[in-house]
């Protein structure tokens, strides 16, 4: 990981903050800490962190409101870390703009892996205007040319399949909810029609995955949505 990266930890529990500080700092990253939502929002503005680790159960302004307010002016990747394990909480956080979600307790290696993805995501956002091609293993997506190739061979997608894949590519590494896909592709009138996404995602996988039953690229986040991997 880059030793220049700044990680903002917004967490009210002192033992968890201590654990995160030791883990993150031990891998060459600079840590800034906040014990409340209000302080976290202020530090996000003053320190311009590369990634934010955010607890939902904060005193005062909770993590969902912190996410909403930060997303009004910043695209910094947000990884929610919370003891709230309900799918509804995950979906709400992700719909408000969080990039990822880890349920406590979690392992150090898992958090570090999610941090690496978030830092790569932050790097891509900072390099807007760069090569619009996405390459992962045998999959190549050229957004400028609207061409998809697998193992060098062009794959013909339906308009909806292409829009699903393009949306995943533009947010590679981030979990996108069913609601997000429905809003972006089918519009507000499709709210609640999650089966639209599942059916077309299944068709997309049959065209780009070597084994659709064990996908390598498009990963299912059960009950929440989908994520396009950034490493294969």
């Amino acid at each position: 990981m880059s030793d220049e990266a700044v990680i903002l930890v917004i967490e009210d529990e002192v033992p968890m903050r201590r654990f995160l500080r030791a883990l993150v700092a031990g891998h060459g990253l600079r840590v800034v800490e906040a014990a409340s939502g209000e302080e976290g929002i202020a530090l996000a503005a003053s320190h311009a962190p590369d990634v934010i680790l955010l607890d939902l159960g904060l005193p005062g302004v909770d993590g969902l409101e912190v996410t909403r307010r930060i997303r009004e002016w910043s695209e910094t990747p947000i990884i929610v870390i919370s003891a709230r394990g309900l799918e509804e909480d995950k979906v709400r956080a992700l719909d408000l703009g969080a990039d990822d979600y880890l349920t406590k307790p979690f392992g150090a290696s898992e958090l570090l892996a999610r941090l690496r993805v978030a830092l790569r995501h932050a790097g891509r956002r900072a390099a807007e205007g760069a090569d619009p091609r996405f390459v992962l293993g045998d999959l190549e997506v050229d957004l400028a040319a609207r061409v998809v190739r697998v193992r060098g061979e062009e794959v013909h997608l339906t308009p909806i399949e292409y829009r699903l894949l393009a949306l995943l590519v533009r947010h590679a590494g981030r979990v996108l909810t069913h609601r997000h896909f429905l809003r972006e592709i089918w519009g507000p009138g499709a709210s609640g029609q999650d089966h639209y996404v599942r059916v077309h995602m299944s068709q997309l996988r049959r065209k780009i995955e070597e084994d659709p039953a064990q996908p390598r690229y498009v990963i299912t986040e059960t009950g929440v949505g989908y994520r396009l991997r950034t490493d294969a």
Side-chain angles (χ1 to χ4, degrees):
M1 293 189 209
S2 168
D3 56 6
E4 299 296 321
V6 176
I7 310 300
L8 170 59
V9 175
I10 309 176
E11 165 67 68
D12 64 315
E13 295 181 4
V14 174
M16 178 57 71
R17 251 195 347 264
R18 188 180 301 124
F19 163 74
L20 293 171
R21 181 195 316 137
L23 176 64
V24 173
H27 284 77
L29 303 171
R30 190 154 66 90
V31 182
V32 179
E33 300 177 33
S36 70
E38 295 91 336
E39 184 184 9
I41 293 168
L43 290 178
S46 62
H47 285 70
D50 295 280
V51 178
I52 297 171
L53 297 179
L54 172 66
D55 182 31
L56 289 187
L58 297 168
V61 177
D62 73 3
L64 293 173
E65 177 64 11
V66 170
T67 301
R68 188 190 67 77
R69 285 167 59 177
I70 288 177
R71 276 293 171 262
E72 290 177 351
W73 50 270
S74 172
E75 292 189 353
T76 300
I78 297 173
I79 301 176
V80 167
I81 49 173
S82 178
R84 301 180 188 177
L86 295 177
E87 288 176 357
E88 179 183 349
D89 291 319
K90 296 180 184 180
V91 170
R92 287 183 65 198
L94 294 166
D95 273 337
L96 285 169
D99 293 74
D100 206 347
Y101 194 111
L102 278 173
T103 302
K104 298 176 184 176
F106 49 80
S109 59
E110 184 177 11
L111 174 60
L112 290 171
R114 302 294 180 92
L115 270 176
R116 284 192 291 270
V117 170
L119 286 169
R120 286 196 294 270
H121 197 188
R124 282 195 301 274
R125 284 175 172 171
E128 285 185 302
D131 187 352
R133 292 188 321 130
F134 176 87
V135 179
L136 178 63
D138 294 325
L139 174 66
E140 177 187 347
V141 182
D142 187 331
L143 294 176
R146 295 179 65 88
V147 172
V148 179
R149 295 184 179 90
V150 176
R151 293 180 290 279
E153 297 292 326
E154 186 171 347
V155 176
H156 297 283
L157 304 179
T158 67
I160 287 180
E161 290 164 1
Y162 178 80
R163 291 178 68 188
L164 283 173
L165 183 57
L167 194 58
L168 285 163
V169 166
R170 286 195 294 270
H171 299 282
R174 177 180 172 183
V175 180
L176 299 182
T177 65
H178 295 104
R179 191 179 304 160
H180 186 101
F181 285 110
L182 290 169
R183 182 176 64 245
E184 294 296 319
I185 296 174
W186 284 276
S191 177
Q193 304 298 321
D194 292 6
H195 64 283
Y196 288 2
V197 183
R198 287 193 294 270
V199 168
H200 288 281
M201 196 66 76
S202 175
Q203 294 171 348
L204 172 63
R205 278 174 164 163
R206 283 200 289 271
K207 294 182 179 181
I208 67 170
E209 300 278 5
E210 184 173 356
D211 182 0
Q214 297 183 335
R216 179 184 180 189
Y217 305 122
V218 180
I219 307 304
T220 299
E221 298 288 340
T222 304
V224 177
Y226 299 90
R227 173 208 311 269
L228 180 64
R229 291 180 58 179
T230 56
D231 58 339

